[in-house]
Amino acid sequence: MLAIVLMGPPGAGKGTHAKWMAEEYQIPHISTGDMFRAAMSSGSELGLKIKAIVDRGDLVDDDLTVALVRERLLQDDCKNGYLLDGFPRTLAQAEAFQEMGREIDRAPNLVLNLTCPDDVLLKRIGGRRVCPTCGASYNIHTMKPQKEGICDRCGSQLIQRKDDNPSSFEIRLRNYYASTEPLLDYYRRQGLLKEFDGTEAANNLKIELETLLASYR
Ligand code: AMP
């Protein structure tokens, strides 16, 4: 059983690796960022409420985020595992998740952390282009789509995320170090944490992750 929490700073490769892991191991990919972006583009009340926060790179309210994840984890497809990408991001979320995990029988059994230095993150974020339809992620320097500006998977026009600009990125990185990085110790103490070098070429890192994941199946 794979109940995974995927961690790492913005641009470390969480989305890229989450995509293939979810497909290969047939577990739902639950990205809180994707959930918030979907709410924002639907124009729902929730979307309007969080748009300014997400666009400037700040964190959405803990209670709201935890409630959203709880609802998603309760769905049937999470019974046999899941891959959480971008949650938890604060100690309050991690503690609520711990309690909820026990209560609804959805505790994680593995926390993966992708490490990456700030200068590499900044470069990656500047070149990142994403598919608004299927969520695939590309980079105009290192991971180009076959046809410029077009998603290889679904043919949609690629976009640049509004929060992938230098000032939002600075806030996201600051929030990461202040609120999210301390969670690594929290999970290390629980013996759940495995760390990987996010600067490695995606194909090599994939092989290393597959080797580890084979022992959890
Ligand atoms: P991501 O796609 O993971 O980079 O998330 C994009 C944005 O969504 C973040 O910068 C936050 O504004 C918001 N967000 C995603 N996950 C969380 C979370 N667990 N807690 C608070 N805000 C979040």
Side-chain angles (χ1 to χ4, degrees):
M1 151 112 153
L2 283 169
I4 305 174
V5 169
L6 184 55
M7 299 191 66
K14 297 190 295 296
T16 300
H17 291 287
K19 275 246 156 348
W20 69 258
M21 278 192 254
E23 273 165 26
E24 207 162 300
Y25 302 107
Q26 304 209 327
I27 46 178
H29 171 202
I30 305 172
S31 154
T32 40
D34 283 350
M35 287 162 98
F36 289 139
R37 279 185 289 277
M40 281 156 58
S41 60
S42 77
S44 67
E45 207 174 308
L46 169 69
L48 293 174
K49 198 169 135 189
I50 62 174
K51 186 170 175 11
I53 302 172
V54 173
D55 283 351
R56 75 168 175 266
D58 264 323
L59 292 176
V60 177
D61 171 76
D62 284 334
D63 289 345
L64 178 74
T65 307
V66 169
L68 205 70
V69 170
R70 186 178 200 279
E71 203 174 283
R72 180 65 188 86
L73 285 177
L74 276 170
Q75 288 174 20
D76 253 12
D77 62 343
C78 297
K79 250 196 224 149
N80 299 318
Y82 56 79
L83 173 54
L84 266 173
D85 160 10
F87 178 92
R89 258 179 158 97
T90 65
L91 189 60
Q93 291 180 12
E95 286 173 348
F97 178 38
Q98 174 117 335
E99 205 180 309
M100 172 213 310
R102 270 192 230 116
E103 183 208 336
I104 66 173
D105 195 21
R106 295 286 191 276
N109 64 351
L110 175 62
V111 177
L112 298 173
N113 182 44
L114 306 182
T115 60
C116 195
D118 294 358
D119 57 328
V120 178
L121 298 173
L122 183 63
K123 231 168 149 174
R124 283 187 181 172
I125 289 286
R128 176 155 75 177
R129 298 294 181 272
V130 295
C131 175
T133 309
C134 74
S137 189
Y138 300 87
N139 187 291
I140 54 170
H141 309 297
T142 53
M143 242 200 288
K144 294 182 190 175
Q146 276 163 16
K147 205 167 147 201
E148 197 185 318
I150 302 293
C151 179
D152 292 346
R153 288 163 157 256
C154 73
S156 298
Q157 187 95 34
L158 300 178
I159 57 158
Q160 184 164 25
R161 270 170 53 174
K162 224 174 167 175
D163 58 346
D164 277 352
N165 66 74
S167 78
S168 299
F169 176 72
E170 201 185 310
I171 296 174
R172 288 159 67 200
L173 203 58
R174 207 185 310 139
N175 284 331
Y176 171 77
Y177 286 116
S179 305
T180 312
E181 202 197 28
L183 298 186
L184 297 177
D185 247 350
Y186 178 85
Y187 286 121
R188 194 175 285 122
R189 282 199 302 270
Q190 297 184 18
L192 293 177
L193 186 73
K194 303 278 181 204
E195 304 213 67
F196 288 86
D197 180 358
T199 63
E200 271 198 68
N203 281 348
N204 294 343
L205 184 49
K206 181 175 184 226
I207 294 168
E208 286 178 30
L209 287 164
E210 282 173 333
T211 306
L212 171 76
L213 295 175
S215 61
Y216 280 79
R217 301 201 66 209

